[in-house]
Amino acid sequence: MVTLDALVEYVDGLLDVSRFQDYAPNGLQVEGRRRVRRLVAGVSVCQALLEAARERQADMVLVHHGFFWKNESPRVVGIKRRRLALLLGEEISLLAYHLPLDAHPALGNNVRLAQRLGIEVLGELDVPQAQGLVWHGRLATSQTPGDFAAHVGRCLGRPPLHLPGEGSEIRDIAWCSGAAQGYFEAVAARGVDAYLTGEVSEPVAHIARESGVHFFGAGHHATERYGVQALAAHLSEKFSLDWEYVEIENPV
Ligand SMILES: [Zn+2]
């Protein structure tokens, strides 16, 4: 058990939240009861996750995607009213970490995704505007693009969208969890064999063809399941908390 204040202060420091320019507030988004014994972790806040937390009598919900995004309407109506009503009514806290949880060198989405896929991490790739969130590394052995796609599908439980480049072998790879397809052109100019991220958009197919770099869209949700679980497990150990990851299926 730990007090809410001590827990939030610890995680804010651990993830170095002030270092990031983000699209949503990091840290405590909704304040619940003063003590935390049990937490439920999930990728994104949604009604199903909140109901699972209520069922499990959680004191806190820990997510990667929380509330209050830039450009989101600030009105508390409809879906947002129902979600907030559940949290406030049950006195469950919502703790959300976005880019700081992607980036953390031991607990973050990028490093945990690399471990899951068997990629040796070599470091950050210098990509403008990416805030150090695009990483590069190496597979233990070269794989054909088809074999690599099948491997990613097995590791993440979801086949990726492969947009072919040119090379017949993949070894040097760059990646960024989530919706980081916008960095593809800059990444391709760095001479890797492939780039893997969660989401895809229309121009990406042409960039793959014209740059020769293979692109894998492995799912926004599927590439961001692992950081929040690593963080929850770490907090459980540090503060003797009960925790459970609740997978709310999302094909995107
Ligand atoms: Zn994301």
Side-chain angles (χ1 to χ4, degrees):
M1 188 179 69
V2 60
T3 66
L4 178 61
D5 291 347
L7 179 64
V8 172
E9 193 188 329
Y10 174 76
V11 187
D12 285 355
L14 177 70
L15 299 184
D16 203 3
V17 297
S18 57
R19 187 161 73 86
F20 295 87
Q21 284 200 310
D22 213 330
Y23 313 96
N26 286 298
L28 186 62
Q29 293 194 338
V30 179
E31 183 181 337
R33 53 189 82 114
R34 303 313 308 162
R35 291 185 191 286
V36 181
R37 286 181 189 81
R38 179 169 298 170
L39 68 86
V40 155
V43 177
S44 302
V45 70
C46 63
Q47 196 71 19
L49 181 68
L50 299 179
E51 282 168 11
R54 175 169 60 190
E55 242 168 61
R56 289 159 176 77
Q57 300 181 318
D59 304 300
M60 170 178 279
V61 173
L62 174 68
V63 292
H64 180 51
H65 301 131
F67 291 135
F68 314 121
W69 297 92
K70 258 181 212 166
N71 305 323
E72 171 184 309
S73 167
R75 296 175 201 275
V76 180
V77 298
I79 287 172
K80 192 189 271 172
R81 184 196 74 82
R82 288 193 290 277
R83 293 173 177 178
L84 284 168
L86 191 156
L87 284 169
L88 293 170
E90 300 290 331
E91 287 195 283
I92 299 171
S93 298
L94 180 71
L95 195 57
Y97 293 95
H98 185 234
L99 299 183
L101 184 57
D102 290 320
H104 191 273
L107 304 172
N109 281 318
N110 267 351
V111 67
R112 294 291 169 149
L113 182 61
Q115 286 170 5
R116 186 111 191 149
L117 298 177
I119 301 170
E120 181 198 351
V121 177
L122 295 175
E124 292 170 9
L125 206 59
D126 184 20
V127 173
Q129 319 297 327
Q131 300 191 61
L133 291 167
V134 177
W135 290 19
H136 71 118
R138 196 186 287 139
L139 299 173
T141 53
S142 297
Q143 299 186 33
T144 66
D147 285 350
F148 182 67
H151 168 71
V152 171
R154 280 192 300 275
C155 293
L156 301 184
R158 172 195 185 283
L161 177 69
H162 172 214
L163 299 170
E166 267 165 17
S168 58
E169 300 273 299
I170 291 175
R171 179 129 202 242
D172 294 318
I173 183 162
W175 72 96
C176 179
S177 70
Q181 69 271 40
Y183 301 131
F184 184 34
E185 192 169 349
V187 170
R190 306 302 304 274
V192 292
D193 301 324
Y195 180 53
L196 182 146
T197 184
E199 293 199 31
V200 64
S201 42
E202 193 272 350
V204 166
H206 302 290
I207 296 170
R209 286 174 199 148
E210 291 171 38
S211 67
V213 175
H214 294 275
F215 179 93
F216 295 89
H220 191 142
H221 174 90
T223 57
E224 297 199 324
R225 288 183 193 121
Y226 306 105
V228 77
Q229 294 184 63
L231 177 58
H234 173 83
L235 295 176
S236 159
E237 190 147 307
K238 172 132 187 108
F239 298 112
S240 307
L241 306 176
D242 290 337
W243 76 283
E244 186 181 337
Y245 170 74
V246 176
E247 168 77 355
I248 306 293
E249 203 272 330
N250 188 334
V252 177

